[in-house]
């Protein structure tokens, strides 16, 4: 039994190579589709610097090496963040007497699952996913974007050497996850080259084709 029921909680995974635009497009998707955005990388970076965390040093070295942090850590961070959101939603729902909407949420989980074991473990113990949005982007384009982001991001891994390692991890370890979901007919693949607006238009069109509707407010 999973911690959250897929009838009450919608989970959409957002995958794509480093620099494909996951974080950027998440902003658009949150605005128009009512998603709660959870980035596995952001949660890991927050845990890395959290006072009292026993995982700080470990996370830092995995991130710099572009390796996948052991799944127990990442899944626990995601599962707890989901629980917090649902708790807040349910409080709001009670306060506003919105009985039917109480406790429901649509999660966009960015940068996860990056390894097959994470995918299986998360879907079994936390919540099965509805589908995966996959941003498909050539390495030359992603590399350019990341080196530019590195000028201001302050991230330990936005440098040429870490970027090379992250690309390798993506091809060897994360693409098999996309392929597995593809085999289940659960991938929406979008070409992620061109401007931010062009990519988002493609995402909207493919969501519409699959019957994924914007949130109505
Ligand atoms: P990811 O979360 O997949 O690693 P980001 O959304 O952080 O990628 O994007 C990486 C960098 O590229 C950021 O600096 C972002 O502003 C920039 N970026 C994102 N999408 C585009 C795009 N379509 N065209 C040009 N730059 C982009
Ligand atoms: O998605 P993002 O680029 O922010 O991820 C940064 C790094 O965080 C990854 O290169 C990896 O080291 C780590 N990570 C992970 N497992 C995930 C997501 C991110 O180990 N599911
Ligand atoms: Mg990101």
């Amino acid at each position: 039994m999973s911690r959250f029921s897929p009838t009450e909680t919608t989970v959409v995974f957002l995958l794509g190579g480093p620099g494909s635009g996951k974080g950027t497009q998440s902003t658009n998707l949150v605005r128009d589709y009512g998603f709660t955005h959870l980035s596995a990388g952001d949660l890991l970076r927050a845990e890395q610097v959290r006072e009292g965390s026993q995982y700080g040093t470990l996370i830092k070295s995995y991130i710099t090496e572009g390796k996948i942090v052991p799944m127990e850590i990442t899944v626990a961070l995601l599962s707890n963040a989901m629980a917090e959101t649902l708790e807040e939603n349910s409080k709001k729902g009670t306060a506003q007497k919105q009985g039917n909407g109480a406790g429901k949420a649509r999660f966009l989980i960015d940068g996860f699952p990056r390894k097959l074991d994470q995918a299986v473990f998360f879907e079994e113990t936390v919540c099965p996913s509805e589908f995966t949005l996959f941003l498909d982007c050539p390495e030359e384009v992603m590399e350019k974007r990341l080196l530019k982001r590195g000028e201001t991001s302050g991230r330990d891994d936005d440098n040429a050497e870490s970027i090379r390692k992250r690309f390798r991890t993506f091809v060897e370890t994360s693409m098999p996850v996309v392929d597995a979901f593809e085999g289940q007919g659960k991938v929406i693949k979008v070409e992620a080259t061109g401007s931010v607006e062009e990519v988002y238009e493609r995402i909207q069109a493919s969501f519409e084709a699959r019957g994924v509707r914007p949130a109505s407010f």
Side-chain angles (χ1 to χ4, degrees), residues 4-162:
F4 308 108
S5 157
T7 54
E8 284 168 25
T9 307
T10 301
V11 165
V12 171
F13 293 137
L14 174 54
L15 293 177
S20 58
K22 299 181 294 295
T24 304
Q25 297 300 335
S26 290
T27 310
N28 291 329
L29 290 163
V30 164
R31 182 193 61 220
D32 297 339
Y33 291 83
F35 283 111
T36 295
H37 174 236
L38 296 177
S39 155
D42 288 350
L43 289 169
L44 286 167
R45 281 182 289 273
E47 179 66 19
Q48 184 196 312
V49 297
R50 186 175 65 81
E51 212 174 306
S53 169
Q54 51 179 317
Y55 301 121
T57 324
L58 180 148
I59 293 173
K60 189 180 169 70
S61 75
Y62 272 80
I63 287 185
T64 308
E65 289 302 310
K67 292 197 301 194
I68 306 302
V69 173
M71 66 165 178
E72 289 78 6
I73 298 174
T74 315
V75 172
L77 290 170
L78 283 169
S79 181
N80 292 339
M82 287 172 69
E84 273 172 34
T85 302
L86 291 168
E87 172 79 8
E88 279 165 24
N89 283 4
S90 113
K91 272 191 211 146
K92 271 188 236 156
T94 315
Q96 295 163 11
K97 297 200 171 31
Q98 291 175 339
N100 55 356
K104 292 199 177 181
R106 223 174 186 189
F107 291 100
L108 183 64
I109 304 198
D110 162 355
F112 180 93
R114 290 262 239 295
K115 196 172 172 181
L116 272 172
D117 65 348
Q118 300 187 337
V120 173
F121 184 62
F122 183 94
E123 292 205 306
E124 275 178 11
T125 66
V126 182
C127 191
S129 65
E130 192 155 297
F131 64 89
T132 292
L133 172 61
F134 171 53
L135 299 182
D136 193 18
C137 199
E139 281 188 5
E140 313 84 76
V141 175
M142 297 194 287
E143 184 186 31
K144 238 188 234 159
R145 290 180 187 171
L146 290 175
L147 289 172
K148 182 144 201 301
R149 186 176 74 181
E151 291 168 11
T152 53
S153 68
R155 277 177 57 158
D156 296 330
D157 57 350
D158 280 346
N159 57 76
E161 194 187 340
S162 289

